[in-house]
Amino acid sequence: MHIVLDDSAMAAAGQGNVLASRLIHRAHAEPGWFLYAPACALVEADRIRPGTAEHLAALPGITVLDLDLAAALAVARQETWAAAHSQYAALPTPDRPDGAIVATTVPKRWEGEPVRVLDLNP
């Protein structure tokens, strides 16, 4: 299971969201669970809730995704860097032919986008 946290999911994790906490636990404890934090979304989450970036980056089950050239080009075409980097990270790759699921607390943000969504609202 490959899951990308968007900025809203990261901020929710820092505020004790139970569903986000379960994802983090699974990514750390269960084989086959992978949790990704795109750098641009991590920055935005830290703006929303200071300290979020350091906290999430220190967790062993989360992989921070850098803004490489391909990601930067994708981000440049979008309005918000956080959503664009999250969407780019969820696209299929050779390692993830089915792509990844975007975890969010704002599922309406993703309506009409080519991503699968996991709503973290209770």
Side-chain angles (χ1 to χ4, degrees):
M1 179 71 60
H2 296 273
I3 299 174
V4 174
L5 297 172
D6 76 356
D7 55 311
S8 71
M10 292 182 208
Q15 295 171 330
N17 179 291
V18 174
L19 298 175
S21 295
R22 286 182 188 163
L23 286 177
I24 292 167
H25 173 73
R26 283 191 168 170
H28 175 67
E30 295 183 29
W33 281 78
F34 302 94
L35 204 53
Y36 305 98
C40 293
L42 193 59
V43 168
E44 191 60 34
D46 201 69
R47 287 181 180 161
I48 296 166
R49 188 172 185 342
T52 299
E54 283 183 332
H55 175 72
L56 289 176
L59 295 173
I62 296 180
T63 301
V64 176
L65 301 176
D66 294 331
L67 186 65
D68 61 12
L69 178 58
L73 294 173
V75 165
R77 295 184 203 114
Q78 301 290 332
E79 283 187 37
T80 66
W81 288 28
H85 199 188
S86 297
Q87 181 175 336
Y88 175 80
L91 294 175
T93 65
D95 294 339
R96 298 184 315 264
D98 293 328
I101 299 167
V102 175
T104 185
T105 61
V106 189
K108 287 189 180 259
R109 170 197 282 174
W110 298 103
E111 287 179 359
E113 298 296 336
V115 295
R116 296 174 290 158
V117 174
L118 175 62
D119 186 350
L120 297 182
N121 289 301

